[in-house]
Amino acid sequence: MHLITLTPPKFNPNPKIYAFSNYTFPSFPTKGKVPKSNSVNGFCNFHKRVYKSPCVERIHYNSRSIRCEAFSQKDDSFYMRRCVELAKKAVGNTSPNPMVGCVIVKNGKIVGEGFHPKAGQPHAEVFALRDAGTLAEDATAYVSLEPCNHYGRTPPCTEALIKAKVKNVVVGMVDPNPIVASKGVERLRESGIGVTVGVEEELCHKLNEAYIHRILTGKPFVTLRYSLSFSGRILNQLSREAQESGGYYSQILQEHDGIIISGTSLAESSTFPSSQEMGSNQPLQIIIATSPNSPFHLPTPLTSQTASRMIVFTDRSTVFDPSTESNLHQQGIETVVLDRVELGPILDYCGGQGLCSVLIDLRGDFEELKELVGEGLEKGMLQKVVMEICPSWDESEGSSVLLLKKLDKKSMKLKDLKSRISKESVVVEGYIC
């Protein structure tokens, strides 16, 4: 920390101080630009181009002088936040694996970075160590999730860190997966590496909330999404901006492994919900078709890739038209016929398929989904709500109010509420208590 005392009104030859009015003020030096990440498959080449941590200027005013205190933010929290930032580059592509980022720091400089790009590919630590090269020796490795200590589709990351001769490892959070939990930390400590656990733990937990939920419960993390008019009615309305790349709806589809939609709603729209984010995997289309004599039909043209990402849940009272039934059979689309379609068996199926997260999307005529939502709320199967509030008043016959009269709970609350502006609408999200 250094202290600069500014004296009026005499000229100061220091190039960082300029005379102005009755006082002199410090100029804020422009920091060197942070190099852009040339990340390919989780690899970031930074051992020749290192970050300079931003310097924060604090100004204190009084009647006679101004003090500027400059201090560095290069601490464990700073580097862990960078790990999380890197990990998010793979959003929508790592399931059923978690998203993980890693940063290698030596003498206060980032010398290597990496993230886990996809299940089956090397983990974040491997990419970061490759990036750092020999500079990893005696360095500190920051990783958002505990390094693995077992052989799976890739070798243990603990052994890679030990072989690279890193001096310390800072871990955002312990991996709750039983085959990992604390074993990675223990292996590193046994090898003489200093380990710190729990830096920015809440941030790291939120990064992989779906993965963690599935590990602990065996079921996917479930989000309920709907659009609401300010007259209190659920709308079959999504702005074009919301569905385009960068829009909240496109992003939420990218973040979820599966999406539950009404067959009747699908018949009305004739298009499958799809993310427009570059390189993202499309969610599994879980279609609920339970209305007697349902008008459900598949959008056309239907590619083999689209068909492979679909499953239809129906009950014995539902009758498909002959062309739809024939199309389902020809395309090899799995159809599950239940005595009664319930959310529990659907989530069990999704968990068995390795899905970590599922979005229930209320659009159009969602009559087929009302009982599923009610069941989910009553039995604690829903974890999160995303609500888009639109600037429209709607009292049309087609619109509806979501009524869940069968709930035993008299009131339910959301916690950790956050809101953001999405063009003309407001998006609010929170977690069900």
Side-chain angles (χ1 to χ4, degrees), residues 272 284 302-311 331-334:
F272 292 109
L284 174 69
L302 187 65
T303 66
S304 58
Q305 184 176 5
T306 304
S308 67
R309 299 293 296 166
M310 287 181 56
I311 182 171
Q331 296 287 347
I333 298 172
E334 185 176 0

Side-chain angles (χ1 to χ4, degrees), residues 15-77:
K16 295 185 179 180
I17 307 296
Y18 299 90
F20 183 82
S21 184
N22 293 325
Y23 299 97
T24 53
F25 290 79
S27 65
F28 292 87
T30 302
K31 297 297 174 183
K33 291 184 178 180
V34 174
K36 293 183 179 179
S37 168
N38 294 330
S39 59
V40 179
N41 292 331
F43 178 79
C44 304
N45 184 8
F46 280 100
H47 66 277
K48 293 183 179 179
R49 299 167 295 152
V50 298
Y51 276 118
K52 291 183 178 180
S53 179
C55 176
V56 177
E57 307 277 355
R58 284 187 177 177
I59 308 294
H60 301 272
Y61 295 93
N62 58 37
S63 60
R64 294 192 177 184
S65 65
I66 301 173
R67 295 188 305 165
C68 173
E69 295 179 348
F71 62 93
S72 173
Q73 285 186 323
K74 294 166 67 173
D75 56 10
D76 288 350
S77 293

